[in-house]
Short mmCIF file of all heavy atoms in Angstrom, two decimals:
data_model
loop_
_atom_site.label_atom_id
_atom_site.label_comp_id
_atom_site.label_asym_id
_atom_site.label_seq_id
_atom_site.Cartn_x
_atom_site.Cartn_y
_atom_site.Cartn_z
N GLY F 1 -7.36 -8.11 -6.63
CA GLY F 1 -8.44 -7.15 -6.79
C GLY F 1 -8.24 -6.29 -8.02
O GLY F 1 -7.23 -6.40 -8.71
N ARG F 2 -9.22 -5.42 -8.25
CA ARG F 2 -9.15 -4.48 -9.37
C ARG F 2 -9.51 -3.08 -8.89
O ARG F 2 -10.40 -2.92 -8.05
CB ARG F 2 -10.09 -4.89 -10.50
CG ARG F 2 -9.68 -6.18 -11.20
CD ARG F 2 -10.53 -6.44 -12.43
NE ARG F 2 -10.15 -7.70 -13.07
CZ ARG F 2 -9.17 -7.83 -13.95
NH1 ARG F 2 -8.46 -6.77 -14.29
NH2 ARG F 2 -8.90 -9.01 -14.48
N GLY F 3 -8.79 -2.10 -9.41
CA GLY F 3 -9.04 -0.72 -9.07
C GLY F 3 -10.22 -0.16 -9.83
O GLY F 3 -10.83 -0.83 -10.66
N PRO F 4 -10.57 1.12 -9.56
CA PRO F 4 -11.75 1.72 -10.19
C PRO F 4 -11.63 1.84 -11.70
O PRO F 4 -12.64 1.96 -12.40
CB PRO F 4 -11.83 3.10 -9.52
CG PRO F 4 -10.46 3.36 -9.00
CD PRO F 4 -9.90 2.03 -8.64
N LYS F 5 -10.42 1.81 -12.24
CA LYS F 5 -10.22 1.88 -13.68
C LYS F 5 -9.69 0.56 -14.24
O LYS F 5 -9.05 0.53 -15.29
CB LYS F 5 -9.26 3.02 -14.01
CG LYS F 5 -9.80 4.40 -13.64
CD LYS F 5 -8.86 5.51 -14.04
CE LYS F 5 -9.43 6.88 -13.68
NZ LYS F 5 -8.51 7.97 -14.07
N GLY F 6 -9.96 -0.53 -13.53
CA GLY F 6 -9.56 -1.84 -14.00
C GLY F 6 -8.15 -2.25 -13.64
O GLY F 6 -7.66 -3.28 -14.11
N GLU F 7 -7.47 -1.46 -12.80
CA GLU F 7 -6.11 -1.81 -12.41
C GLU F 7 -6.12 -3.16 -11.68
O GLU F 7 -6.95 -3.41 -10.81
CB GLU F 7 -5.53 -0.75 -11.47
CG GLU F 7 -5.55 0.67 -12.03
CD GLU F 7 -6.76 1.46 -11.59
OE1 GLU F 7 -7.81 0.84 -11.33
OE2 GLU F 7 -6.66 2.69 -11.51
N VAL F 8 -5.17 -4.02 -12.04
CA VAL F 8 -5.08 -5.34 -11.41
C VAL F 8 -4.18 -5.26 -10.19
O VAL F 8 -3.08 -4.70 -10.24
CB VAL F 8 -4.54 -6.38 -12.41
CG1 VAL F 8 -4.35 -7.73 -11.71
CG2 VAL F 8 -5.50 -6.54 -13.58
N TRP F 9 -4.65 -5.81 -9.09
CA TRP F 9 -3.89 -5.84 -7.84
C TRP F 9 -3.56 -7.28 -7.49
O TRP F 9 -4.44 -8.14 -7.44
CB TRP F 9 -4.70 -5.21 -6.70
CG TRP F 9 -4.19 -5.54 -5.33
CD1 TRP F 9 -4.49 -6.65 -4.58
CD2 TRP F 9 -3.27 -4.78 -4.55
NE1 TRP F 9 -3.82 -6.62 -3.39
CE2 TRP F 9 -3.05 -5.49 -3.34
CE3 TRP F 9 -2.61 -3.57 -4.75
CZ2 TRP F 9 -2.22 -5.02 -2.34
CZ3 TRP F 9 -1.77 -3.10 -3.75
CH2 TRP F 9 -1.59 -3.82 -2.56
N LYS F 10 -2.28 -7.56 -7.26
CA LYS F 10 -1.83 -8.85 -6.76
C LYS F 10 -0.96 -8.60 -5.54
O LYS F 10 0.02 -7.86 -5.62
CB LYS F 10 -1.06 -9.62 -7.83
CG LYS F 10 -1.89 -10.04 -9.03
CD LYS F 10 -1.08 -10.86 -10.02
CE LYS F 10 -1.93 -11.29 -11.20
NZ LYS F 10 -1.13 -12.08 -12.19
N PHE F 11 -1.30 -9.23 -4.44
CA PHE F 11 -0.65 -8.92 -3.17
C PHE F 11 0.87 -9.06 -3.26
O PHE F 11 1.61 -8.14 -2.88
CB PHE F 11 -1.20 -9.82 -2.06
CG PHE F 11 -0.54 -9.59 -0.74
CD1 PHE F 11 -0.97 -8.57 0.09
CD2 PHE F 11 0.52 -10.38 -0.32
CE1 PHE F 11 -0.35 -8.33 1.31
CE2 PHE F 11 1.15 -10.16 0.90
CZ PHE F 11 0.71 -9.13 1.71
N ALA F 12 1.34 -10.20 -3.72
CA ALA F 12 2.79 -10.45 -3.73
C ALA F 12 3.54 -9.45 -4.59
O ALA F 12 4.67 -9.06 -4.28
CB ALA F 12 3.08 -11.88 -4.19
N ASP F 13 2.92 -9.01 -5.67
CA ASP F 13 3.57 -8.08 -6.59
C ASP F 13 3.47 -6.64 -6.14
O ASP F 13 4.41 -5.85 -6.31
CB ASP F 13 2.97 -8.20 -7.99
CG ASP F 13 3.20 -9.57 -8.62
OD1 ASP F 13 4.16 -10.25 -8.22
OD2 ASP F 13 2.39 -9.95 -9.50
N ASP F 14 2.32 -6.27 -5.57
CA ASP F 14 2.01 -4.85 -5.37
C ASP F 14 2.08 -4.36 -3.93
O ASP F 14 2.25 -3.16 -3.71
CB ASP F 14 0.60 -4.56 -5.93
CG ASP F 14 0.50 -4.86 -7.41
OD1 ASP F 14 1.43 -4.48 -8.15
OD2 ASP F 14 -0.49 -5.49 -7.82
N PHE F 15 1.91 -5.26 -2.97
CA PHE F 15 1.82 -4.78 -1.60
C PHE F 15 3.12 -4.18 -1.05
O PHE F 15 3.07 -3.16 -0.36
CB PHE F 15 1.33 -5.88 -0.65
CG PHE F 15 1.13 -5.37 0.76
CD1 PHE F 15 0.11 -4.49 1.05
CD2 PHE F 15 2.00 -5.75 1.77
CE1 PHE F 15 -0.07 -4.00 2.33
CE2 PHE F 15 1.84 -5.26 3.05
CZ PHE F 15 0.79 -4.38 3.34
N PRO F 16 4.29 -4.77 -1.31
CA PRO F 16 5.51 -4.16 -0.75
C PRO F 16 5.68 -2.69 -1.11
O PRO F 16 6.02 -1.86 -0.26
CB PRO F 16 6.63 -5.04 -1.33
CG PRO F 16 5.99 -6.37 -1.52
CD PRO F 16 4.59 -6.05 -1.98
N ALA F 17 5.42 -2.35 -2.38
CA ALA F 17 5.55 -0.94 -2.79
C ALA F 17 4.50 -0.07 -2.10
O ALA F 17 4.81 1.06 -1.68
CB ALA F 17 5.41 -0.83 -4.31
N LEU F 18 3.28 -0.58 -1.97
CA LEU F 18 2.24 0.19 -1.29
C LEU F 18 2.59 0.40 0.17
O LEU F 18 2.41 1.49 0.72
CB LEU F 18 0.89 -0.51 -1.40
CG LEU F 18 -0.25 0.13 -0.60
CD1 LEU F 18 -0.51 1.55 -1.07
CD2 LEU F 18 -1.52 -0.70 -0.67
N LEU F 19 3.10 -0.63 0.82
CA LEU F 19 3.45 -0.51 2.23
C LEU F 19 4.53 0.55 2.44
O LEU F 19 4.43 1.39 3.35
CB LEU F 19 3.92 -1.86 2.77
CG LEU F 19 4.32 -1.90 4.25
CD1 LEU F 19 3.17 -1.45 5.14
CD2 LEU F 19 4.78 -3.30 4.64
N GLU F 20 5.54 0.55 1.60
CA GLU F 20 6.60 1.55 1.72
C GLU F 20 6.06 2.96 1.49
O GLU F 20 6.42 3.90 2.21
CB GLU F 20 7.74 1.23 0.76
CG GLU F 20 8.53 -0.01 1.14
CD GLU F 20 9.78 -0.19 0.31
OE1 GLU F 20 10.12 0.75 -0.46
OE2 GLU F 20 10.43 -1.24 0.42
N ALA F 21 5.20 3.11 0.48
CA ALA F 21 4.63 4.43 0.21
C ALA F 21 3.73 4.89 1.35
O ALA F 21 3.69 6.09 1.67
CB ALA F 21 3.84 4.38 -1.10
N SER F 22 3.03 3.97 1.97
CA SER F 22 2.11 4.32 3.06
C SER F 22 2.87 4.65 4.34
O SER F 22 2.54 5.62 5.04
CB SER F 22 1.14 3.16 3.30
OG SER F 22 0.41 2.86 2.13
N VAL F 23 3.88 3.86 4.66
CA VAL F 23 4.67 4.12 5.86
C VAL F 23 5.38 5.46 5.76
O VAL F 23 5.59 6.16 6.77
CB VAL F 23 5.68 2.96 6.08
CG1 VAL F 23 6.78 3.36 7.04
CG2 VAL F 23 4.94 1.73 6.60
N ALA F 24 5.73 5.88 4.54
CA ALA F 24 6.37 7.18 4.34
C ALA F 24 5.45 8.33 4.74
O ALA F 24 5.91 9.46 4.94
CB ALA F 24 6.80 7.33 2.89
N LEU F 25 4.14 8.06 4.86
CA LEU F 25 3.18 9.09 5.26
C LEU F 25 3.07 9.24 6.77
O LEU F 25 2.38 10.14 7.25
CB LEU F 25 1.79 8.75 4.69
CG LEU F 25 1.66 8.70 3.17
CD1 LEU F 25 0.24 8.26 2.79
CD2 LEU F 25 1.98 10.04 2.55
N LEU F 26 3.73 8.39 7.52
CA LEU F 26 3.61 8.45 8.98
C LEU F 26 4.30 9.69 9.54
O LEU F 26 5.33 10.14 9.04
CB LEU F 26 4.20 7.20 9.62
CG LEU F 26 3.40 5.91 9.41
CD1 LEU F 26 4.17 4.71 9.93
CD2 LEU F 26 2.03 5.99 10.09
N SER F 27 3.71 10.21 10.59
CA SER F 27 4.26 11.40 11.26
C SER F 27 5.52 11.04 12.03
O SER F 27 5.94 9.88 12.08
CB SER F 27 3.20 11.97 12.21
OG SER F 27 2.99 11.07 13.30
N ASP F 28 6.10 12.04 12.67
CA ASP F 28 7.30 11.81 13.48
C ASP F 28 6.99 11.07 14.77
O ASP F 28 7.89 10.53 15.41
CB ASP F 28 7.98 13.14 13.81
CG ASP F 28 8.57 13.82 12.59
OD1 ASP F 28 8.89 13.10 11.62
OD2 ASP F 28 8.69 15.06 12.60
N THR F 29 5.72 11.06 15.15
CA THR F 29 5.31 10.35 16.38
C THR F 29 4.15 9.41 16.07
O THR F 29 3.04 9.60 16.57
CB THR F 29 4.90 11.35 17.48
OG1 THR F 29 3.87 12.22 16.97
CG2 THR F 29 6.09 12.18 17.94
N PRO F 30 4.39 8.38 15.25
CA PRO F 30 3.29 7.47 14.88
C PRO F 30 2.84 6.63 16.07
O PRO F 30 3.63 6.34 16.99
CB PRO F 30 3.90 6.60 13.79
CG PRO F 30 5.36 6.61 14.08
CD PRO F 30 5.66 7.98 14.62
N LEU F 31 1.59 6.22 16.02
CA LEU F 31 1.00 5.46 17.12
C LEU F 31 0.97 3.97 16.83
O LEU F 31 1.41 3.15 17.65
CB LEU F 31 -0.41 5.97 17.40
CG LEU F 31 -1.15 5.41 18.61
CD1 LEU F 31 -0.39 5.72 19.89
CD2 LEU F 31 -2.58 5.96 18.67
N PHE F 32 0.42 3.58 15.66
CA PHE F 32 0.37 2.15 15.33
C PHE F 32 0.19 1.96 13.83
O PHE F 32 -0.22 2.87 13.10
CB PHE F 32 -0.74 1.43 16.10
CG PHE F 32 -2.14 1.88 15.80
CD1 PHE F 32 -2.80 1.47 14.63
CD2 PHE F 32 -2.83 2.71 16.68
CE1 PHE F 32 -4.10 1.88 14.36
CE2 PHE F 32 -4.13 3.13 16.41
CZ PHE F 32 -4.76 2.70 15.25
#
């Protein structure tokens, strides 16, 4: 995919970093 400013997204390259950054946002009592 591409972001709003033309950023290129490739799952294999970009998803692991996004997943780690997103999981870091979870509270102390996450649900799912």
Side-chain angles (χ1 to χ4, degrees):
R2 292 188 182 275
K5 296 183 179 180
E7 305 95 332
V8 175
W9 163 274
K10 294 183 179 179
F11 178 84
D13 296 336
D14 300 316
F15 184 70
L18 174 61
L19 180 58
E20 290 189 9
S22 302
V23 163
L25 298 176
L26 289 173
S27 68
D28 292 334
T29 55
L31 186 61
F32 63 78

